Amino acid sequence: MPFPQPHRRSGRRTPSPASADAPVTRAGRRRRTALLTSAAAVALAAATGGAYAAGWGPFATGAPSSDPAALTQARAFLADWAAGRLTEAGGRTTSPGPAESTLRNFTAGLEIGKPVLIASTATTGRDGTVTVPFTAKMPVTGLGTWTYASKLPLREQRDGTWKVDWALSLVHPKLNGTDKFRLERGTTEAVEVSGRGGAPLSGRTYPSLAPVIARLGKAAGGGPRGSVQVVDRVTGEAKGTVAIFGGAPARTADGPVRTTIDPVWQAAAEKALAAKSQGKNAALVALRADTGEILAMANSPASGFNRAVSGTYAPGSTWKIVTSTALLLKGAVEPGTVVDCPKYLTVGKQFHNVELGEHRGATFAQDFTESCNTAFISLRDKLGDREPADVARKYFGIGQKWNIGIPSFDGAAPATGDATDKAAAMIGQGKVLGNPLTMASVTATAASGTFRQPTLLPGTHGTTTTTPLPKDVTDRLRAMMRATVTEGTAKGLADLPGDVGAKTGTAEVSEQAPNNGWIAAHRGGIAVAAVVEGGLSGSASAVPLVHDVLAAVPADRS
């Protein structure tokens, strides 16, 4: 005898022929359902020979599964509420008018923007009520987000549909007939931020620093503050606080927040970006090689995204500083080793040099100064698949977590997966990523021989672990970077006083987008790196930018 099929509930009931025209009360429906359930239970018990003992039937353990229609209705209610369709949201409840009125008045005076309401897993109670927990994220203008959790109870109606069982507490657990919410704003206190020597820094004088100054001030307890309080609807008396925004009152005894920014370097960077970025997105970082202290951090445009320390770019040929280090450490080449530089080289795909240049019979040092892609790619098999990434991490700190004092992207140089990836990584493309901060640090390490944790706040230290470069490697890197200025792609810096060394870069973005222009340079213990988005080449766009900065700052200022 086949098992009888269990009864499945649906949103629509089909009356039996005998009672098709007769009204059915809720009590009558419950009695009839009980009778049907009992009959089905007897039939199933007879058919299964006591399968109830195995956990089937009405005595099974665990909560019953929720009707999908209930969850759909809950989500629709939350979607209407979030979108401001309050009449529609109210219509999905058992009390449309009061629900719409409450949802409309709930945010009055709280200065809340568009909320985000996220439903969670539904549960079903023994009485058939479906409960849908949800998280509410209410953005309060100028302060932050008020986040709390609540629940939607849903009940099945006589017509088989589901509605939210309206109650004030579902809007917020502390909302009731006697209490409401009130927004209290505190006074905005500014925290002063200073640079080297205690010089005051302001976003008006140094526009690129405005977002940084605001962030540092907020971290120190400055900035807007406020709270959402529960108050008596009649008297306005505060009964409690459900959300607090902002930190403690700004400190006074400790003085301003000190940074490593040098006003002279910062002013030069701001001026150069304004004059030479030509309306393109660009960024620059200058830091001390012996301490890692960041002297300048500038962006164009000045407001918004801090691409100088948080950007994620392919560093292009400036990365050849790291690749050269790996090759020199292994003894795979010497500066005088002949490494041919053809126009093209195919490794899974065709690689070429900027403007399709070629240098037949060139030495490795010449390949570096002329930034020959094909020569560097031809040396890929001299290194193991993990070696370039290991060198970047071990000697330059790339891939480790830095702690500069504000959020930053600290570079990426993952192990390569195939020959094409490895070829691209040799010239700073593929999965290799950096920004002016990371490339200024790479340059500082190459010039000084030791990685120093970059920092914006004195006394801030990261957890990086690196190894100093051998002196002979550092000497050869410095010599090749100096030659790049005197006779290579960075000749635009040759008229500057001091022992300037550099490496330019031209990084491909896509086949349709113009290349980004890069330069990483050092002079007198200071390392500078800059990127110009869509700058076509480092020589054309980034070199003039850094030239203006170095020309504006005395060569002996470090």
Side-chain angles (χ1 to χ4, degrees):
M1 176 179 175
F3 290 153
Q5 294 299 309
H7 174 67
R8 291 180 180 239
R9 240 168 68 183
S10 65
R12 182 179 63 188
R13 290 182 173 83
T14 303
S16 63
S19 60
D21 298 324
V24 180
T25 65
R26 176 177 291 185
R29 184 187 296 112
R30 284 200 296 266
R31 286 195 296 271
R32 190 175 70 182
T33 300
L35 290 172
L36 290 173
T37 301
S38 297
V42 171
L44 184 59
T48 61
Y52 275 38
W56 296 0
F59 303 112
T61 58
S65 60
S66 301
D67 192 314
L71 182 57
T72 298
Q73 182 73 311
R75 287 175 172 165
F77 170 80
L78 293 175
D80 286 337
W81 179 7
R85 299 186 294 267
L86 304 185
T87 301
E88 290 83 348
R92 298 183 185 278
T93 74
T94 55
S95 300
E100 178 185 352
S101 177
T102 299
L103 293 176
R104 199 172 300 281
N105 294 326
F106 169 60
T107 57
L110 297 182
E111 301 179 34
I112 290 175
K114 185 177 180 180
V116 176
L117 307 168
I118 305 168
S120 188
T121 305
T123 59
T124 302
R126 292 186 178 277
D127 63 350
T129 301
V130 174
T131 301
V132 179
F134 70 93
T135 299
K137 297 183 178 182
M138 302 285 180
V140 182
T141 303
L143 289 178
T145 302
W146 174 23
T147 302
Y148 63 86
S150 191
K151 299 177 181 179
L152 296 179
L154 294 101
R155 292 188 182 276
E156 188 176 18
Q157 305 302 294
R158 290 188 176 188
D159 60 359
T161 62
W162 289 85
K163 284 187 179 294
V164 175
D165 196 6
W166 177 252
L168 291 173
S169 59
L170 68 82
V171 178
H172 187 285
K174 291 188 178 295
L175 184 64
N176 54 51
T178 60
D179 299 327
K180 64 177 184 178
F181 298 107
R182 182 174 67 203
L183 176 65
E184 295 285 347
R185 288 186 179 272
T187 58
T188 299
E189 295 188 29
V191 173
E192 293 183 355
V193 177
S194 67
R196 295 183 72 191
L201 301 177
S202 73
R204 177 169 299 190
T205 305
Y206 309 106
S208 290
L209 295 181
V212 176
I213 291 171
R215 185 179 190 93
L216 292 175
K218 185 176 181 180
R225 299 190 304 279
S227 64
V228 177
Q229 298 182 345
V230 181
V231 300
D232 186 279
R233 289 180 181 271
V234 177
T235 66
E237 179 185 358
K239 295 184 175 182
T241 302
V242 293
I244 297 176
F245 305 100
R251 60 183 184 176
T252 56
D254 294 338
V257 177
R258 295 170 53 240
T259 74
T260 60
I261 295 294
D262 185 310
V264 174
W265 280 97
Q266 185 66 34
E270 300 267 8
K271 184 177 180 180
L273 281 170
K276 294 295 172 67
S277 63
Q278 299 179 334
K280 301 179 185 297
N281 293 340
L284 179 147
V285 166
L287 54 79
R288 289 184 57 172
D290 62 343
T291 63
E293 293 178 349
I294 297 171
L295 304 178
M297 177 195 309
N299 292 282
S300 178
S303 61
F305 180 57
N306 192 347
R307 50 182 45 85
V309 302
S310 296
T312 52
Y313 301 94
S317 291
T318 56
W319 190 254
K320 289 172 184 171
I321 297 172
V322 178
T323 308
S324 297
T325 300
L327 292 166
L328 293 170
L329 282 168
K330 196 170 185 178
V333 293
E334 294 292 335
T337 303
V338 174
V339 184
D340 204 24
C341 176
K343 287 183 180 180
Y344 306 102
L345 187 63
T346 300
V347 184
K349 72 171 190 176
Q350 189 181 79
F351 292 89
H352 60 81
N353 300 314
V354 176
E355 298 180 353
L356 303 181
E358 65 176 334
H359 300 276
R360 296 290 182 179
T363 64
F364 178 68
Q366 291 172 326
D367 294 325
F368 183 96
T369 60
E370 294 298 332
S371 203
C372 179
N373 291 335
T374 56
F376 273 78
I377 292 171
S378 72
L379 295 169
R380 66 192 181 281
D381 290 335
K382 300 285 187 180
L383 300 172
D385 290 344
R386 294 195 57 87
E387 276 189 89
D390 289 344
V391 167
R393 183 179 186 87
K394 180 178 179 180
Y395 296 95
F396 296 92
I398 300 295
Q400 300 188 49
K401 178 62 179 174
W402 300 357
N403 179 22
I404 72 169
I406 60 174
S408 64
F409 173 71
D410 308 326
T416 54
D418 56 35
T420 304
D421 279 348
K422 188 176 182 181
M426 294 289 287
I427 58 173
Q429 297 280 170
K431 298 177 182 178
V432 177
L433 297 172
N435 50 45
L437 170 68
T438 57
M439 294 318 300
S441 178
V442 162
T443 304
T445 301
S448 69
T450 303
F451 170 83
R452 268 92 177 187
Q453 160 74 57
T455 183
L456 180 65
L457 304 177
T460 300
H461 302 288
T463 57
T464 51
T465 302
T466 58
T467 300
L469 288 168
K471 185 177 183 303
D472 63 325
V473 171
T474 301
D475 289 344
R476 284 177 283 181
L477 288 172
R478 288 179 64 96
M480 291 192 296
M481 293 179 74
R482 178 58 181 162
T484 303
V485 172
T486 58
E487 56 194 67
T489 56
K491 279 184 180 178
L493 305 179
D495 64 321
L496 293 169
D499 186 17
V500 182
K503 182 71 194 78
T504 60
T506 301
E508 291 184 358
V509 178
S510 69
E511 292 184 1
Q512 294 76 31
N515 298 332
N516 292 337
W518 276 93
I519 186 171
H522 69 88
R523 183 190 70 180
I526 306 298
V528 184
V531 62
V532 179
E533 294 182 20
L536 299 180
S537 73
S539 299
S541 59
V543 168
L545 185 62
V546 169
H547 182 281
D548 277 16
V549 173
L550 295 178
V553 180
D556 60 352
R557 186 178 181 92
S558 61

